[in-house]
Amino acid sequence: MGLDIRFPIGIMFTLIGLLLTVTGFVTGGDPAFYKISLGININLVWGIVLLLFGGLMWGFAILEKNKK
Amino acid sequence: MHQTAINLTFIDYSILGLYIAFVIGIGFALKRYMKTSADFFLSGRSIPAWVTGLAFLSANLGALELVGMAASGAKYGIATCHFYWVGAIPAMIFLAVFMMPFYYGSKARSVPEYLKLRFDERARAFNSISFAIMTVFASGISLNALAKLLNQLLGWEYNICLWVCSLIVLLYVLKGGLTSAIYTEVLQFFMIVLGFAPVVWLGLKDAGGWTSVKDKLAGVATDPVALNLVSDASKTFKPDAWTSAWTPLIAGPSQNPMGVDLFAMIFGLGFVLSFGYWCTNFLVVQRAMAAKDMTAARNTPLVAAVPKMLFPLLVILPGMIALALSATAGKEYRLPQAIITQARMTTTIASIKQSVSGGTDLAAAQENLSAKAGVSFNPAKVATLLKSPETLTVSDEKLAIRLQDAVVNDYDGVILSLVKRYCPTGLLGLALTALLASFMSGMAGNVTAFNTVWTYDLYQAYIAPDKSDDHYAWMGRMVTIVGILLSIGAAYFASMWSNAMDIIQLVFGFVNAPLFATFLLGMFWSRTTATGAFIGLVSGTTASALFHACTISQGNVPGVKGGYLAKLAVLPSDMAQNFWLASFAFTVCFVLTVVISLATKRTKSDEDLKGLVYSLTPKQIVTQAWYARPEFIGIVLLIVCIYFNYLFW
């Protein structure tokens, strides 16, 4: 099938990762905000994880495309 | 989950919106590839194994599975892993190594169609009709559960949730057919994993790590009534009851919270039920059938087996964490319960005071209390309250706390109670999107399996044969809409008559229980005849209904839970009854199929059965290196799976 599913997955998680990372930066100075997540700025941490995952998917898709 | 609704912010809605835009977008992007009916129903058999493999897993991972596994994790502990490490994994490996060559090689377009090729129209009709009805009700039940959950959690309107969620699934399945369902299932798979993983991580950190969870659960096991885990005040377990998978099981049904014996677990769940589900259910097998070639088809369940083996970390561990937290002083966490409203509490308190002074009939007093409070109580705790003279003297406030404490646990609320506990704005949106994703993957799976079985096995076979391919492709789209509407109808039905729903699910349990015997004999014994298979299947189904009618599990009254004809056996728990029922139905179906096959003439020649039966199919010429063969990969996976069992022995 003509669509490589890694592209949409990569793009979507990159965008969501960006959203979370930015939220993490903006709210990072407010300890009360992260009281429920045990004081961890989970939006920043997980945003970066999602960015990495999205980038990886994207990278694989591009590699495959170049091979063809 | 019954407390105040939580508010989502702009960030949360943005994540949800992004996800919805992408799943619908994938449907539209695939539209231009949908030319023939084969494209729509079979994805033109063109998808790589890693994609079909993840879809195979995701289609099964509905919202109910996610919610239910966490619930069982709290209720039964690590023994819940048996559904994975004894049940699913061996069955998936068996499907890949032994069964897939016949499903894929026979060019059948569905599981019922395989039955027709191997036996005759009777087996196909029986299987396709029951399967079609079952998928509609299955997606209706999960649709109802999701809309209720969103309503309680976020305060969204029930009807809007129901229609909007269905509409999204309809849009992308209608546009891109099975391909679209499979592709979005892959995206949903990652969404579910990445959405829930941080919640589990935070929970584990909060509980002090795995060792600490184990310690806490050892305390819980020796006093299970404190957390309303059992209804018998004198019941205790050995400390490892929640944290060892096999030792409590070997010790016998009274020693493990599931109330199950070793035979029922291994034969009933591990063999009959799991192989019956994973190897014959078209919902999952359809994903493998869409693979691009035989190798990819056989690798599909193997690819799925790897994450499936690790899933207990994501779906069962949260339940155990929740239980450990509720046993830890200072964490201010309790397993979710229904809340007794202020108004009802007043009448309940009046009623319990009356019962203490007057009544001696405990059961009647309890039933009366439940009716007053509008919730179910743990019998052991209420009995203590009813017997204690202190109930009369203590203040109303204290009594209210004690009554609330006696309310049964709502295990299904466990996973969302953790989401609420740990997720700030942002992560909250992600976790809720993951919940929606799991629901949609399940529903799309049901809908695509339903439209294929309807169009090929019922419509083309019995209603309108010999039409053009365009006509069937059109029918597939129409029936996708009809299937979704029927699911919505089933959801409303479920919300209104939940008892009727229990009965319907029960009946499908009867139909599924003997199914694997028919496939096993059909695929591996060429002497099996069509008449033998059909009578065996129908008798197996009847046998399971009879078994249910004649047995009951401890503490249940005769009725929906069985035992309404006779009480020939009393089983230690519902789960044990279910496992034994399956074992019994399988055996009846197996024996009868063999006996009747030997007594009847074969209607199909060896030539007819080529590609359908193991011994009559020429061996494939193996082109892969030894380490890439499904047999080898299967053995490696099996060894890893055995190691996991050993690790949590």
Side-chain angles (χ1 to χ4, degrees):
Chain A
M1 205 58 61
L3 176 76
D4 187 341
I5 184 65
R6 283 169 291 199
F7 274 116
I9 292 177
I11 298 167
M12 188 186 83
F13 279 105
T14 309
L15 289 177
I16 295 179
L18 265 176
L19 258 175
L20 282 185
T21 314
V22 170
T23 311
F25 267 118
V26 173
T27 55
D30 179 9
F33 194 88
Y34 291 105
K35 207 180 147 215
I36 64 167
S37 54
L38 316 173
I40 301 167
N41 187 339
I42 191 75
N43 284 337
L44 186 63
V45 174
W46 208 252
I48 292 171
V49 171
L50 293 188
L51 273 178
L52 288 175
F53 174 78
L56 207 67
M57 275 284 158
W58 215 335
F60 278 133
I62 289 170
L63 269 182
E64 183 84 20
K65 205 176 168 190
N66 287 347
K67 243 196 297 181
K68 279 177 189 162
Chain B
M1 69 191 268
H2 299 283
Q3 291 98 2
T4 47
I6 41 177
N7 288 316
L8 295 186
T9 62
F10 176 71
I11 306 286
D12 302 315
Y13 283 115
S14 307
I15 295 173
L16 195 59
L18 262 173
Y19 160 77
I20 292 172
F22 269 86
V23 287
I24 294 178
I26 288 174
F28 276 84
L30 289 169
K31 191 186 157 198
R32 57 199 160 108
Y33 302 109
M34 297 296 122
K35 296 206 173 68
T36 65
S37 75
D39 292 333
F40 191 78
F41 294 118
L42 307 167
S43 297
R45 299 201 148 177
S46 61
I47 303 181
W50 75 271
V51 173
T52 50
L54 294 181
F56 182 94
L57 199 55
S58 206
N60 161 262
L61 192 76
L64 286 182
E65 166 101 355
L66 212 65
V67 166
M69 280 296 152
S72 299
K75 229 166 156 178
Y76 310 121
I78 206 158
T80 314
C81 294
H82 291 314
F83 284 93
Y84 292 73
W85 299 339
V86 177
I89 303 297
M92 286 157 82
I93 294 170
F94 186 83
L95 174 67
V97 174
F98 293 108
M99 292 178 75
M100 219 47 231
F102 305 107
Y103 280 140
Y104 196 86
S106 69
K107 297 279 173 231
R109 297 167 300 182
S110 68
V111 168
E113 190 164 63
Y114 171 83
L115 284 179
K116 185 221 151 187
L117 295 174
R118 173 62 184 84
F119 301 118
D120 61 7
E121 289 292 351
R122 287 173 297 174
R124 175 206 236 177
F126 187 79
N127 187 245
S128 55
I129 292 172
S130 59
F131 181 80
I133 302 174
M134 183 171 68
T135 44
V136 165
F137 277 105
S139 74
I141 290 171
S142 97
L143 189 55
N144 170 50
L146 177 89
K148 262 192 182 156
L149 220 58
L150 294 178
N151 177 262
Q152 283 167 350
L153 196 73
L154 306 171
W156 294 352
E157 231 273 301
Y158 176 87
N159 295 304
I160 295 179
C161 296
L162 208 68
W163 286 90
V164 170
C165 292
S166 315
L167 195 71
I168 296 168
V169 176
L170 175 68
L171 260 179
Y172 71 75
V173 175
L174 201 59
K175 287 295 165 203
L178 179 64
T179 317
S180 173
I182 288 179
Y183 277 13
T184 47
E185 275 157 7
V186 175
L187 183 134
Q188 283 149 350
F189 168 82
F190 289 116
M191 193 73 219
I192 296 164
V193 172
L194 293 169
F196 282 112
V199 182
V200 180
W201 178 53
L202 288 172
L204 194 61
K205 208 169 154 55
D206 190 21
W210 174 241
T211 333
S212 167
V213 168
K214 262 176 100 167
D215 286 347
K216 289 291 170 206
L217 292 186
V220 169
T222 50
D223 184 17
V225 78
L227 293 171
N228 295 358
L229 291 166
V230 292
S231 52
D232 173 4
S234 60
K235 183 89 195 165
T236 61
F237 295 101
K238 292 222 173 76
D240 65 352
W242 260 261
T243 49
S244 292
W246 288 97
T247 323
L249 193 67
I250 292 165
S254 64
Q255 299 295 311
N256 62 76
M258 272 189 186
V260 171
D261 58 291
L262 198 60
F263 176 81
M265 180 59 82
I266 292 177
F267 188 73
L269 171 71
F271 184 63
V272 178
L273 283 174
S274 298
F275 281 69
Y277 179 82
W278 292 100
C279 301
T280 75
N281 195 305
F282 185 51
L283 169 67
V284 287
V285 175
Q286 185 179 31
R287 269 76 200 143
M289 282 178 162
K292 63 178 178 184
D293 53 35
M294 177 68 92
T295 312
R298 296 182 75 190
N299 282 337
T300 297
L302 298 175
V303 169
V306 177
K308 184 81 182 169
M309 225 184 292
L310 302 170
F311 259 18
L313 271 175
L314 196 71
V315 298
I316 299 173
L317 184 60
M320 299 175 70
I321 291 171
L323 191 60
L325 285 174
S326 50
T328 312
K331 287 293 179 197
E332 287 169 19
Y333 178 85
R334 201 195 183 300
L335 291 178
Q337 296 172 305
I339 306 287
I340 309 176
T341 57
Q342 204 67 45
R344 275 173 178 271
M345 185 59 97
T346 321
T347 53
T348 314
I349 287 175
S351 162
I352 196 171
K353 287 199 165 166
Q354 232 171 4
S355 304
V356 173
S357 46
T360 43
D361 187 356
L362 272 180
Q366 253 177 47
E367 209 165 295
N368 183 26
L369 272 187
S370 292
K372 286 263 162 37
V375 296
S376 300
F377 286 108
N378 180 302
K381 284 216 173 148
V382 173
T384 318
L385 282 176
L386 282 168
K387 279 181 198 149
S388 154
E390 215 196 21
T391 303
L392 287 173
T393 54
V394 80
S395 72
D396 278 5
E397 288 79 50
K398 276 197 179 148
L399 193 54
I401 293 170
R402 284 181 201 176
L403 274 167
Q404 179 61 51
D405 180 57
V407 175
V408 291
N409 297 323
D410 171 21
Y411 295 101
D412 286 346
V414 163
I415 187 88
L416 288 171
S417 74
L418 293 183
V419 168
K420 261 172 111 167
R421 185 177 163 92
Y422 297 120
C423 292
T425 284
L427 193 65
L428 184 65
L430 188 71
L432 290 176
T433 307
L435 177 75
L436 267 176
S438 75
F439 158 78
M440 284 184 192
S441 67
M443 183 165 187
N446 279 313
V447 168
T448 47
F450 173 81
N451 67 20
T452 309
V453 165
W454 164 263
T455 308
Y456 284 153
D457 292 302
L458 294 168
Y459 185 74
Q460 188 179 27
Y462 306 118
I463 299 169
D466 307 320
K467 291 270 166 85
S468 69
D469 185 70
D470 279 351
H471 178 78
Y472 295 123
W474 172 83
M475 189 63 199
R477 290 197 168 82
M478 285 306 113
V479 83
T480 302
I481 300 175
V482 173
I484 297 234
L485 287 176
L486 286 173
S487 303
I488 293 175
Y492 279 115
F493 183 78
S495 74
M496 279 179 274
W497 291 285
S498 63
N499 289 334
M501 225 55 192
D502 289 345
I503 295 170
I504 289 166
Q505 277 187 303
L506 200 65
V507 172
F508 287 121
F510 299 161
V511 176
N512 283 337
L515 208 54
F516 187 59
T518 306
F519 280 87
L520 197 61
L521 286 169
M523 268 184 193
F524 298 99
W525 193 42
S526 58
R527 188 66 187 78
T528 318
T529 64
T531 308
F534 182 69
I535 298 179
L537 199 55
V538 174
S539 317
T541 305
T542 319
S544 43
L546 275 175
F547 184 93
H548 181 258
C550 298
T551 59
I552 196 157
S553 69
Q554 253 162 29
N556 282 339
V557 281
V560 185
K561 300 270 190 183
Y564 51 87
L565 285 186
K567 273 196 198 178
L568 297 183
V570 179
L571 291 140
S573 66
D574 285 2
M575 210 177 266
Q577 187 185 17
N578 191 15
F579 293 172
W580 276 99
L581 179 146
S583 312
F584 182 72
F586 176 90
T587 312
V588 168
C589 178
F590 191 91
V591 170
L592 274 178
T593 306
V594 170
V595 171
I596 296 168
S597 290
L598 288 173
T600 48
K601 268 214 180 86
R602 274 176 62 179
T603 48
K604 300 216 169 186
S605 67
D606 281 2
E607 194 51 38
D608 292 338
L609 296 181
K610 214 170 140 187
L612 299 168
V613 178
Y614 190 75
S615 58
L616 301 176
T617 306
K619 289 269 172 298
Q620 267 195 307
I621 299 147
V622 186
T623 49
Q624 306 128 296
W626 59 271
Y627 54 81
R629 287 177 205 161
E631 289 83 356
F632 177 75
I633 303 171
I635 290 171
V636 172
L637 289 172
L638 208 55
I639 291 171
V640 178
C641 185
I642 292 170
Y643 177 69
F644 280 156
N645 278 294
Y646 166 75
L647 207 60
F648 295 96
W649 190 268

